[in-house]
């Protein structure tokens, strides 16, 4: 048994913001033996053997009302996003240029399929019936899913499936999908910590995986551009195309709706939050919709910039 790496250690893994910006891992570091030992054999095992547990959700998060609606709105969106990511990853596995990439992206595919499951399962734990979860997922799929996730998926599949472009696909997934969503997930982990510790734990686990995905994805691009600097222009063009797409997507509306429901929830149940701080010096109970959205947006921009610099693509956004 080799020493537990920091990023797979529940007690010591960095948060998304530092981890997603600074951690350096290659596909060779995170191959199948790594995943089987440290992710399946340790990180996930500690969830099932009960050494890592969450407290109970506040009653308020389990009763019908805006707080639970906020959770349903967010977690149905997440489950759909994760499922699309898992499907798209099958093309990265197919086009993997070497064994390290084949192994790493196979593990990422399983991670994303697992995330799709845990977000969905958590809604059952929050008191919805299976049928209610299924109906809520369908509703979100035809609303924010169709507005945001479907166009993103179409863009990713054009690169991955239609063009068979492995490196373009890694870039799209790392920068335009995971790089954008990971900081929102960090916000979520902090928002739910007291109101629904189970939800926060689901986010934390997924976020620990995301840190690995972001770190490895960006080192794949870095390595590629080190060997093939002539490809830089082409990848920059792809990023710009993706950024233009993002500008057209109503992600702000989706986040506004999510945070509005959450705001109604804290207006109703703020006493549960006490002096809990969402970030140093700021009590969650005092925050507003725009303030949380702005923070997540800034985290997202800073994370992307740090990752792009590591990929030798600085200045791209
Ligand atoms: Fe994921
Ligand atoms: Fe991921």
């Amino acid at each position: 048994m080799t020493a537990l790496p920091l990023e797979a250690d529940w007690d010591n893994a960095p948060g998304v913001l530092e981890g997603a910006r600074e951690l350096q891992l290659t596909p060779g570091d995170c191959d199948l033996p790594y995943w089987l030992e440290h992710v399946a054999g340790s990180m996930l095992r500690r969830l099932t053997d009960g050494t890592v547990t969450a407290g109970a959700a506040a009653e308020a998060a389990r009763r019908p009302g805006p707080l639970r609606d906020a959770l349903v709105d967010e977690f149905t969106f997440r489950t759909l996003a994760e499922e699309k990511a898992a499907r798209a990853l099958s093309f990265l596995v197919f086009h993997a240029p070497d064994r390290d990439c084949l192994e790493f992206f196979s593990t990422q595919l399983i991670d994303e399929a697992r995330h799709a499951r845990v977000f969905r399962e958590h809604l059952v734990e929050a008191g919805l019936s299976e049928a209610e979860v299924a109906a809520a997922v369908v509703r979100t799929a035809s609303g924010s899913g169709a507005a945001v996730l479907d166009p993103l998926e179409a863009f990713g599949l054009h690169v991955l499936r239609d063009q068979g472009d492995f490196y373009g696909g890694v870039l799209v997934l790392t920068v335009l999908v995971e790089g954008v969503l990971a900081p929102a997930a960090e916000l979520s982990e902090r928002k739910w910590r007291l109101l629904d510790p189970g939800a926060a734990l689901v986010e934390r686990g997924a976020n620990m995986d995301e840190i690995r995905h972001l770190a490895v994805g960006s080192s794949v691009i870095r390595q590629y551009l080190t060997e093939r600097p002539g490809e830089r222009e082409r990848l920059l063009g792809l990023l710009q195309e993706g950024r233009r797409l993002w500008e057209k997507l109503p992600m702000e509306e989706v986040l506004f709706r999510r945070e509005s429901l959450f705001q109604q929830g804290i207006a109703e149940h703020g006493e549960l939050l006490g002096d809990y701080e969402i970030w140093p010096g700021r009590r969650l109970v005092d925050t507003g919709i725009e303030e949380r959205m702005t923070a997540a947006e800034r985290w997202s921009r800073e994370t992307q910039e740090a990752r792009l610099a590591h990929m030798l693509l600085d200045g791209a956004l």
Side-chain angles (χ1 to χ4, degrees), residues 37-72:
E37 180 175 347
H38 300 302
V39 181
S42 168
M43 196 181 140
L44 298 177
R45 167 119 347 130
R46 288 184 63 194
L47 282 176
T48 46
D49 72 11
T51 49
V52 172
T53 50
E59 198 35 50
R62 300 176 53 90
R63 267 203 317 270
L67 198 62
R68 197 176 79 170
D69 291 345
L71 185 72
V72 172

Side-chain angles (χ1 to χ4, degrees), residues 148-211:
V148 172
L149 298 175
D150 291 359
L152 262 183
E153 179 181 45
F155 181 68
L157 288 181
H158 177 64
V159 174
L160 273 166
R161 181 192 57 205
D162 306 342
Q163 301 183 327
D165 176 3
F166 174 80
Y167 293 98
V170 172
L171 187 67
V172 167
L173 210 71
T174 305
V175 179
L176 297 168
V177 182
E178 307 215 280
V180 175
L181 298 179
E186 171 73 21
L187 179 71
S188 176
E189 187 185 323
R190 298 182 189 195
K191 271 164 48 188
W192 291 108
R193 203 164 284 154
L194 289 191
L195 297 168
D196 186 348
L201 185 67
V202 165
E203 289 283 6
R204 177 70 181 140
N207 288 341
M208 284 165 72
D209 294 327
E210 284 334 318
I211 292 170

Side-chain angles (χ1 to χ4, degrees), residues 268-289:
E268 210 175 310
H269 307 289
E271 77 286 351
L272 297 169
L273 292 171
D275 288 329
Y276 169 71
E277 292 183 353
I278 186 154
W279 50 78
R282 190 66 177 153
R283 299 194 316 165
L284 174 55
V285 71
D286 297 330
T287 60
I289 301 170

Side-chain angles (χ1 to χ4, degrees), residues 2 32 41 46 56 184 186 208 225 261 276 307-308:
T2 45
L32 259 182
R46 288 184 63 194
E186 171 73 21
M208 284 165 72
L225 286 180
L261 288 167
Y276 169 71
R307 274 299 152 201
L308 284 168

Side-chain angles (χ1 to χ4, degrees), residues 211-229:
I211 292 170
R212 233 171 35 245
H213 300 164
L214 282 161
V216 175
S218 48
S219 82
V220 168
I221 300 295
R222 181 187 174 86
Q223 178 69 25
Y224 181 63
L225 286 180
T226 305
E227 286 161 13
R228 307 269 302 269

